[in-house]
Amino acid sequence: MKYLVPGLTTLMLFVHLLAVAQSGTPAPGKGPSKAPVHKKAAPAVPAAPSSAGIVVPSWLPAEAPLQPAVTILTEVVDTKLDVHFDYKKQHLLGTAILTLRSHFYPQTEVVLDAKGFDIQKVELVGDKKNKNLNYNYNRRKLVIALDHPYPRSTPYQVRIVYVAKPNELPQGGSAAITSDKGLYFINPLGLEKNKPRQIWTQGETEASSCWFPTIDKPNQRMTQEISMTVEKQFKTLSNGLLISSHANPDGTRTDTWKLSEPHAPYLATMVVGDFAVVSDSWHGKPVDYYVEPQYAATARAVFGHTPEMMDFYSKKLGVEYPWEKYAQVAVRDYVSGAMENTTATTHGNIIQATRRELLDANYQTAESTIAHELFHHWFGDYVTCESWSNLPLNESFADYSEYLWAEHKYGTDEAGLVQEIKINNYLEEAQSKREPLIRYRYASREDMFDRHSYDKGGRVLHMLRKYVGDDAFFAALNRYLTQNKQSAVEISKLRVAFEETTGEDLMWFFNQWFLKRGHPELHITHTYTNGQVTLRVQQTQDTLFQPVYRLPVTVAVWTGSNQPTEHHLTVTKADQTFTLPANQKPSLVKFDNESQLLAQFDEERTQDELIFQFYHAQSYQQKSEVLELLQNKTTELSVSSLLRNALNDKFWALRRTALDHLRRYRGPEPEGMRKDIKRLATTDPNPRVRAQAIVTLASFPDGSYGPIYGAAVVDSSALVAAAAVEVLSKKPETNSRQQVAALDNTTSSPLILAVADFYALNGGLDQYPWFLRRLSDVADADLYAYFQSFGTLMTHIPPVERDKGLRVLEEYARNAPQYYVRLGAYRGLAMLMPTNPTLKAVLQNIREKETDDRLKAFYNLM
């Protein structure tokens, strides 16, 4: 499952705010700031005294229930499904034949997960005749009494005829997986304009049992065969290979998909819809991309690196891609970023792109998600966590695969950007939450889908790789995969694989990084006297609740040469001093020279040392760190010169960062600096840099940049055009209305939101129909922001004209499938309450009838 990083979209911003609302802590900014030069970093989270007098950090949660792996009494060996669909009722009508086997002890009953079904028949399958079986069913568990005890040597088959009713299930989900009803009908009656009819499933964590009976736990493994009867114009997709497809007399078609190798039930999938299928291959295996027909021409541009990724990962791991095919499909209204269903990954439709949108694509967009879900086919599908407590054995590896691919395909700078983003993601979450990576206590299994399991886990694997070396790291992963193939595992299996490979007891590493909470907070100082550097490292984290870490690390000492002397040290104490030889006073002493540690740093360096670091940096992260630490020193000539140098850096992300720090610049040679910024706004090859340059120019209170903004509105990049429209919404020029009106029919999501923002601030009654007309074109992930703009616009028009808009917002606030869309509509309505007091009762009624705990928590804060 792909965790969507907060900050990338409006939806993700909401998810982050909701998490903050539920935790009760203030919302942090874009990420934890690095410590200022010569300053001690303030604690990330305030602490509170407990009743026993011990200071308890506010991020320390109350003890949650113990969540061990589920005891296996019965194994699901194989699942055969025959299903068809009632679009009007949004029901699945199914027949399941389950091949079952007692795990060890003889069993006289089998308990299946089956959520919200109508059970019509339960039979024991016989050679000549089926036998009816007695059962009890509470709409969650189906308990079937067998005709006699079955030993583990004797498999048996149960046939169940049932109707699945996903829309009648209670609503649930999490920030990462926003709904858990398992089976989704999209536009089932074809009444929604510009939205295709589709059916798709989402099994993780335990929602497959919302559409077929099973033992819905990750420590089960089954082969499967699924027959879907669908309207003849639709394509189907499921796990494994399509083994038959035949037309029926009633004009429908039945497709049968078979998965020959076993996988966990949560990885089962079905997709039905009108798709174009673009075919590729790898080593003779089918590799297919399912997209909406209008995206067929660009499907290969989006997904085309997949075979190369399969080759790269297969060679790195020494285990060839272990499944019989690989397909990827983009669906509407998806409830997560993407899902690694075995051989058939599902993506949200946002991964589809027009040719113009492809201009704005970079590794941080679709490609990282594609890499992530593919890598799961080794870590998660081939070898599976035995319990949700061990989820990082799936997600940490998939997260780290994003770094591996960026490093291989795009080089160390792009990989360094991945590392920087992911560390900041985790550290931001750590302000209000610190848990062990492998946690056997949690309130809900959905709690495991956080920045710990993903971003922290990926960084822990990076440190393990750096410690043992590349050869040992990938040899250990090969051992782990081959020894545990097609099985469910816990963290000890990974540790043993590394210990058997390296010959070293690595309990210390796994204990502190996987089984303990928190991270090191380091205060680092150095002095030079008598031919040696004295380096002091203090671990300042609260060691009552977090460990004193053992930290293998590289320290670089730069003296007169252009190459540093590297020292490999191991920090083992809370306060430790090292002496390093140096024949003269160093220009720079750099702790963690390889930027590998997951830690918060307060590393004292003079301004001269930081400037030296920038010009001699060996990585993007070291340069980026200097820009962050010196961003408030731009009035000084040396720092100003450094920033101008950064504007010409070969790596786009550094140019963009420098531009961000140059907002409201008041330093030396302001005209020369602005000239450089204008050059980047108009000529930089990377659209993200051009967009940031537009934003930076807008931060200056004086100067005339209207022609630049006007040209940017028609830029080939939608990202750049959207940035210009956003600027013009706050600083409109005389012809801005006409320029923006020319974009009224744009199909670009960023531009639709930008135009909506412009009209919200500068429009009136004339733009009211535009909001209503474009509503059906707005992606669900963007509706939260769109409704804010719509609400703002309606504050500018006469109350008598608002009726249709109010009805639209109320309908979405009450009935939108996605909870963040309901919140966006609710907030749009709330904006209008000061001029329409009758809305108070409407909003109160919406709050009272809301059943989603996440929204109820947010409403309580509003």
Side-chain angles (χ1 to χ4, degrees), residues 317-319 382-384 475-489 492-501:
L317 297 170
V319 175
Y382 193 53
V383 178
T384 310
L477 295 189
N478 175 273
R479 181 185 293 267
Y480 170 77
L481 291 169
T482 53
Q483 289 184 344
N484 300 293
K485 64 181 180 181
Q486 297 181 345
S487 68
V489 297
S492 63
K493 297 285 190 178
L494 183 66
R495 175 179 56 80
V496 167
F498 272 86
E499 290 180 343
E500 290 177 346
T501 299

Side-chain angles (χ1 to χ4, degrees), residues 295 354 356-357 743 745-752 774 777:
Y295 292 101
T354 63
R356 184 181 191 187
E357 289 165 342
L743 302 172
N745 296 314
T746 180
T747 59
S748 163
S749 292
L751 272 176
I752 291 176
R774 295 312 308 267
D777 301 318

Side-chain angles (χ1 to χ4, degrees), residues 228-259:
M228 288 175 270
T229 298
V230 300
E231 296 171 64
K232 62 182 180 181
Q233 72 267 27
F234 289 145
K235 301 267 194 328
T236 67
L237 176 64
S238 187
N239 313 96
L241 297 174
L242 181 66
I243 61 171
S244 72
S245 179
H246 65 265
N248 301 314
D250 62 358
T252 63
R253 190 185 74 255
T254 300
D255 290 350
T256 300
W257 294 82
K258 182 178 179 63
L259 182 70

Side-chain angles (χ1 to χ4, degrees), residues 720-762:
V720 175
V725 173
E726 291 283 357
V727 167
L728 291 172
S729 70
K730 299 174 181 64
K731 295 182 175 182
E733 302 278 333
T734 54
N735 61 341
S736 296
R737 179 71 66 89
Q738 291 75 22
Q739 290 175 319
V740 174
L743 302 172
D744 275 359
N745 296 314
T746 180
T747 59
S748 163
S749 292
L751 272 176
I752 291 176
L753 289 183
V755 171
D757 189 52
F758 181 91
Y759 287 153
L761 298 177
N762 302 282

Side-chain angles (χ1 to χ4, degrees), residues 273-348:
D274 180 16
F275 298 106
V277 182
V278 177
S279 296
D280 214 333
S281 66
W282 179 79
H283 288 198
K285 296 181 178 183
V287 177
D288 296 325
Y289 318 128
Y290 288 64
V291 295
E292 293 174 36
Q294 65 268 31
Y295 292 101
T298 55
R300 199 176 298 276
V302 173
F303 296 105
H305 286 307
T306 301
E308 186 182 352
M309 290 178 183
M310 296 170 78
D311 203 58
F312 169 64
Y313 291 142
S314 295
K315 289 176 180 176
K316 271 291 184 185
L317 297 170
V319 175
E320 188 167 294
Y321 173 78
W323 306 96
E324 49 207 337
K325 75 126 190 303
Y326 191 54
Q328 297 174 84
V329 59
V331 302
R332 291 293 186 101
D333 299 350
Y334 198 51
V335 295
S336 187
M339 179 63 205
E340 65 274 12
N341 308 305
T342 311
T343 77
T345 287
T346 304
H347 295 273

Side-chain angles (χ1 to χ4, degrees), residues 49-67:
S50 74
S51 58
I54 299 172
V55 176
V56 179
S58 61
W59 46 255
L60 188 69
E63 187 170 71
L66 183 66
Q67 306 283 1

Side-chain angles (χ1 to χ4, degrees), residues 566-579:
E566 292 189 341
H567 303 271
H568 301 286
L569 311 176
T570 301
V571 179
T572 58
K573 301 175 182 177
D575 191 342
Q576 196 164 2
T577 300
F578 302 88
T579 56

